[in-house]
């Protein structure tokens, strides 16, 4: 028997595909229906307006969008916050400016990691000794 504690409410439940107990599934489905109904009536709403009007949290609405339950096709102003800077985006996890900054930082790290650069190696918490005294 696969039992687990619900991550939302802490109650014991039989594991399922949704990963939450049946009571929380009903609650989440009601939140979704509330959001979907509001968006049908207010196509130009932003995620903040939907959250305020429905009392559903922005992370939960974002989850509905990522799960494909709420479509951005019919909601021109609907998006969700970038995970780094909170700018509104419509796809992915981070906005273009954060993605560009991240790519720039990665490229700097790669350049500093090339042989011949004056990066001191082995100065971290674990340092290998080339001592052959065995």
């Amino acid at each position: 028997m696969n039992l687990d504690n619900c991550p939302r409410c802490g109650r014991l439940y039989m594991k399922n595909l949704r990963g939450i107990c049946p009571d929380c599934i009903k609650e989440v489905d009601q939140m979704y229906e509330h959001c979907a109904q509001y968006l049908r009536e207010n196509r130009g709403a932003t995620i903040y307006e939907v959250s305020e009007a429905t009392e559903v949290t922005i992370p939960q609405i974002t989850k509905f969008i990522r799960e494909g339950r709420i479509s951005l096709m019919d909601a021109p102003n609907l998006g969700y916050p970038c995970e780094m800077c909170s700018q509104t985006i419509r796809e992915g996890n981070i906005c273009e400016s954060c993605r560009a900054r991240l790519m720039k930082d990665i490229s700097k790290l790669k350049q500093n990691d090339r042989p011949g650069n004056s990066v001191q190696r082995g100065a971290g918490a674990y340092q290998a000794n080339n001592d052959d005294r065995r």
Side-chain angles (χ1 to χ4, degrees):
M1 189 182 284
N2 290 330
L3 295 176
D4 200 2
N5 287 79
C6 179
R8 290 194 60 182
C9 68
R11 286 187 224 129
L12 194 63
Y13 76 104
M14 178 104 59
K15 282 187 177 182
N16 57 42
L17 294 175
R18 300 272 297 267
I20 56 177
C21 72
D23 291 338
C24 287
I25 288 174
K26 288 177 189 172
E27 187 179 326
V28 168
D29 287 345
Q30 287 173 346
M31 285 190 268
Y32 163 71
E33 287 298 327
H34 204 57
C35 290
Q37 181 62 38
Y38 182 81
L39 284 167
R40 278 187 220 107
E41 296 168 0
N42 302 283
R43 288 181 42 142
T46 66
I47 194 168
Y48 303 103
E49 293 168 344
V50 174
S51 178
E52 187 175 313
T54 62
E55 297 181 358
V56 176
T57 65
I58 290 174
Q60 184 62 58
I61 297 170
T62 301
K63 189 172 181 180
F64 291 148
I65 293 169
R66 289 201 175 130
E67 290 173 346
R69 294 176 82 181
I70 292 179
S71 172
L72 297 179
M73 298 274 295
D74 296 330
N77 297 330
L78 192 62
Y80 49 92
C82 167
E83 290 182 4
M84 293 178 73
C85 71
S86 298
Q87 178 182 338
T88 302
I89 56 175
R90 291 179 60 86
E91 62 182 30
N93 294 331
I94 59 175
C95 66
E96 285 301 318
S97 62
C98 289
R99 183 175 293 127
R101 187 172 48 245
L102 188 60
M103 294 303 287
K104 182 180 172 186
D105 291 346
I106 288 171
S107 130
K108 275 185 187 178
L109 286 172
K110 282 183 180 179
Q111 187 156 1
N112 287 339
D113 203 30
R114 289 188 182 146
N117 286 342
S118 61
V119 175
Q120 183 179 0
R121 297 194 184 276
Y126 299 100
Q127 184 172 358
N129 286 332
N130 290 332
D131 197 2
D132 293 326
R133 288 190 233 164
R134 295 182 192 186

